Amino acid sequence: MSKQKEELEHRLKLRNIKLSDYDDIREIMVSIYKNQGGAWTKEELKNQLKAFPEGQIAIEDNGKVVAAAMSLVVDYNKFGDNHTYDQITGFGKFDTHDMEGDTLYGTDVFVHTDYRGMRLGRRLYDVRKELCENLNLRSIIAGGRIPGYTNYADEMTPRKYIDLVKNKEIFDSVLSFQLANEFHVRKVITKYLPSDTDSRAYATLLEWINIYYEKDEKLIGNKKSIVRLGLVQWKMRRFSNVDDLMQQVEFFVDTVSGYKSDFCLLPEFFNAPLLAEFNDMDASEAIRNLADYTDEIISRMSDLAVSYNVNIVAGSMPEYDGKKLRNVSYLCRRDGTQDKQYKLHITPDEASYWGLQGGNGINVFDTDAGRIGILICYDVEFPELGRILAEQEMDIMFVPFWTDTKNAFLRVNTCAKSRAIENECYVAITGSVGNLPKVENMDIQYSQAAIYSPSDFSFPHDAVVAMASENEETIIVADVDLDLLTKQRKAGSVRNLEQRRLDLYSIQWKQKK
């Protein structure tokens, strides 16, 4: 390699700043901040490194510092939004640094003019975010200059200028870069840097939220990140009584628990084989008699949840109170508590054949493995319900279903995948297979259990986490990462929840829960 070529080759290295870097840093600062006070003194840099060496970051090229980012940790409540640069940095000495604080405060980012266009600033912002996450700090806050404002100050307010920069009608060399790096403007600050004449002493108060921040980190009992789902694709077979039915249920709960699953999902009307006992009755009378078993089944299901240490979404069963026949799914938590979700939308066949009626409420349920919602079969075909659950910060939607034909299954399946993508959540679905030749209206079954996710770089490209074989009795067990949902909602390629036009439309729940 020729000497000339060797001199032109970049060797970039990211590292913490050392006091011996002062001359390189001063050279950059004098060039960039000649109208804002120039460079720090060597003594100021020494104090900054002494206060918080981990927060002072440089990029060197062939041994020379060509870019740097400076920061400190503060208890932000001590300063509030109306601070100045000198107040929050202790006049550059960083004696305001507090490792018990909750905020990483960015004081400076600068790049040598010869290295513009190499996106070194983006690298520095990324490493700052990494530092914020690793220190478990709530956010990064910074006061941002708006140097381009000097060209518009006579015709518009700073707020109007900022709005136009946000909308890309105006380019600002500092603010446009910060917005592109996922910072948002909280407010406009006055007299932040009185010497900054280009910004007319105004500044933007910028914030980047650490979505992984844990306010009170505990040694045990923290919210799970990786959650294991177990789905039972259930074969309809003849059972002579509830004991036979529960023996088969326990087999699957035991199997799923053996894989250390956090949830076990059963299908809609998994107890339908017991209808054979009432074949001599009218269909509407038979299903009301089937409802008599629901309390016993749920009691025994709850015991299984505790015994096998797994949260059970107990498919669905009929419930009859003497006036209304409804379809209900029980959540049997492994701590012994229960909740239930009624099916809201009743198919024409269910209404005419059995006289089923829909419930009137919908909820997100807290568990030790995330916040979940339950939509029974037909309900998943109504996108409003999924969005209402998503607005309550649901992580996983469970969809127990019963379908007889492939086209009926595909309606449920296609809509379930859509709910996962549009609501940035996981959706787990399962149904039953096989046949019940002597049970009216439950003759044949079609199912292909699956777990769906959003479709972005952190997830499977086809949004399929796991999928069972068609029409075979089986289980699928798969892990889902709840932290990836948090990342998706704040930093995904598209952000369906965050970017809704709530100024134009909204979904309103009319009934009181």
Side-chain angles (χ1 to χ4, degrees):
M1 183 184 294
S2 69
K3 183 177 180 181
Q4 183 180 13
K5 185 175 181 180
E6 191 174 57
E7 289 174 351
L8 292 174
E9 187 177 71
H10 292 296
R11 292 187 177 88
L12 299 178
K13 180 181 178 181
L14 187 70
R15 61 170 174 81
N16 288 113
I17 290 174
K18 300 174 290 187
L19 188 60
S20 58
D21 297 320
Y22 177 73
D23 289 341
D24 292 343
I25 289 173
R26 184 180 184 281
E27 177 186 336
I28 303 171
M29 293 189 73
V30 167
S31 172
I32 294 173
Y33 298 137
K34 56 187 175 183
N35 295 328
Q36 286 87 44
W40 300 307
T41 65
K42 191 169 187 177
E43 188 64 25
E44 285 173 330
L45 179 61
K46 181 179 179 180
N47 289 333
Q48 293 166 6
L49 294 176
K50 182 179 178 181
F52 186 36
E54 300 86 353
Q56 320 317 321
I57 303 158
I59 296 176
E60 70 169 44
D61 185 20
N62 291 302
K64 180 182 176 65
V65 171
V66 296
M70 321 294 289
S71 62
L72 66 158
V73 177
V74 297
D75 180 352
Y76 192 71
N77 288 330
K78 292 181 179 178
F79 299 94
D81 288 348
N82 294 314
H83 58 269
T84 67
Y85 181 88
D86 287 339
Q87 287 171 344
I88 206 159
T89 64
F91 292 89
K93 293 181 292 184
F94 283 20
D95 55 9
T96 52
H97 173 70
D98 179 4
M99 280 306 294
E100 299 299 316
D102 63 349
T103 301
L104 185 69
Y105 195 90
T107 62
D108 289 278
V109 174
F110 42 81
V111 178
H112 196 290
T113 53
D114 292 344
Y115 286 77
R116 298 283 169 84
M118 292 180 63
R119 304 192 177 186
L120 301 188
R122 183 178 295 275
R123 295 194 195 193
L124 292 169
Y125 268 55
D126 286 344
V127 77
R128 255 192 193 166
K129 293 172 186 177
E130 182 182 359
L131 179 63
C132 181
E133 291 171 359
N134 290 338
L135 291 174
N136 190 37
L137 300 174
R138 183 182 59 81
S139 66
I140 302 173
I141 288 181
R145 299 176 59 237
I146 44 174
Y149 181 59
T150 189
N151 300 316
Y152 299 89
D154 294 336
E155 56 188 274
M156 64 181 71
T157 63
R159 182 167 297 280
K160 178 65 175 176
Y161 175 79
I162 291 166
D163 286 341
L164 290 173
V165 174
K166 284 182 181 178
N167 294 332
K168 301 189 183 300
E169 299 294 334
I170 294 175
F171 176 80
D172 184 277
S173 59
V174 175
L175 180 56
S176 295
F177 171 76
Q178 291 163 330
L179 294 174
N181 279 275
E182 300 173 337
F183 280 74
H184 69 273
V185 179
R186 281 177 48 163
K187 63 173 294 182
V188 177
I189 314 175
T190 58
K191 300 179 181 179
Y192 180 70
L193 272 171
S195 61
D196 184 5
T197 55
D198 286 343
S199 302
R200 301 295 176 96
Y202 291 108
T204 54
L205 184 66
L206 296 149
E207 184 173 34
W208 176 83
I209 302 293
N210 175 14
I211 57 179
Y212 303 115
Y213 172 61
E214 293 284 348
K215 185 175 181 180
D216 296 308
E217 192 157 352
K218 299 177 288 185
L219 295 178
I220 61 173
N222 286 306
K223 178 183 175 182
K224 291 176 72 73
S225 171
I226 304 299
V227 175
R228 183 161 294 176
L229 308 183
L231 281 56
V232 178
Q233 187 155 276
W234 172 269
K235 183 177 180 179
M236 292 293 196
R237 51 170 64 83
R238 293 296 296 269
F239 296 112
S240 58
N241 52 47
V242 174
D243 287 339
D244 283 350
L245 174 78
M246 292 307 298
Q247 184 180 52
Q248 189 67 22
V249 169
E250 184 170 3
F251 165 76
F252 280 116
V253 171
D254 184 11
T255 303
V256 167
S257 173
Y259 290 105
K260 295 182 169 53
S261 296
D262 295 294
F263 290 97
C264 176
L265 174 65
L266 293 164
E268 180 183 25
F269 286 135
F270 69 94
N271 66 336
L274 297 177
L275 278 169
E277 182 181 345
F278 312 111
N279 264 351
D280 57 338
M281 300 178 183
D282 176 82
S284 62
E285 186 181 359
I287 199 165
R288 282 163 175 79
N289 277 272
L290 179 65
D292 289 341
Y293 293 126
T294 296
D295 286 347
E296 179 185 354
I297 293 172
I298 288 303
S299 177
R300 295 173 67 168
M301 197 79 76
S302 189
D303 290 342
L304 293 177
V306 173
S307 298
Y308 288 98
N309 192 30
V310 61
N311 299 299
I312 301 176
V313 180
S316 81
M317 288 167 279
E319 177 190 271
Y320 184 55
D321 63 4
K323 295 180 180 179
K324 287 185 177 181
L325 176 70
R326 293 183 289 192
N327 187 356
V328 62
S329 178
Y330 275 84
L331 167 63
C332 300
R333 298 184 184 87
R334 53 187 164 193
D335 65 3
T337 60
Q338 297 177 7
D339 268 306
K340 61 182 178 180
Q341 175 63 57
Y342 290 106
K343 188 174 185 176
L344 303 187
H345 297 88
I346 305 303
T347 66
D349 184 66
E350 291 169 335
S352 63
Y353 201 77
W354 288 327
L356 272 171
Q357 297 183 51
N360 296 314
I362 190 169
N363 292 286
V364 168
F365 305 113
D366 284 309
T367 74
D368 60 1
R371 288 171 61 78
I372 74 163
I374 303 171
L375 294 182
I376 303 172
C377 197
Y378 192 32
D379 281 343
V380 79
E381 298 178 33
F382 295 83
E384 298 89 347
L385 298 183
R387 183 49 51 85
I388 289 168
L389 293 173
E391 288 177 341
Q392 298 176 56
E393 299 182 343
M394 170 188 64
D395 299 310
I396 307 167
M397 179 193 295
F398 290 98
V399 183
F401 68 88
W402 173 80
T403 53
D404 52 356
T405 61
K406 187 168 185 177
N407 61 310
F409 161 73
L410 287 174
R411 287 195 298 268
V412 171
N413 181 69
T414 303
C415 291
K417 183 185 283 191
S418 297
R419 300 299 85 84
I421 293 170
E422 70 199 14
N423 294 307
E424 297 168 334
C425 66
Y426 295 105
V427 178
I429 68 170
T430 196
S432 53
V433 301
N435 55 73
L436 289 171
K438 292 187 178 181
V439 177
E440 284 192 64
N441 208 39
M442 302 290 290
D443 312 71
I444 58 174
Q445 335 288 322
Y446 191 103
S447 175
Q448 188 174 24
I451 301 169
Y452 297 120
S453 72
S455 179
D456 208 338
F457 297 118
S458 298
F459 302 94
H461 71 277
D462 57 0
V464 180
V465 176
M467 183 173 285
S469 300
E470 295 175 87
N471 289 338
E472 293 182 7
E473 185 170 50
T474 187
I475 63 169
I476 55 174
V477 177
D479 290 343
V480 295
D481 188 337
L482 303 189
D483 283 347
L484 290 181
L485 297 180
T486 306
K487 178 181 178 182
Q488 176 67 27
R489 291 163 185 165
K490 291 295 183 182
S493 299
V494 293
R495 303 164 202 171
N496 297 71
L497 290 177
E498 182 184 89
Q499 296 182 321
R500 287 171 293 155
R501 289 291 304 275
L502 297 179
D503 57 324
L504 300 179
Y505 57 82
S506 64
I507 296 174
Q508 180 181 1
W509 186 264
K510 294 183 178 179
Q511 293 283 345
K512 291 185 178 180
K513 295 181 182 179

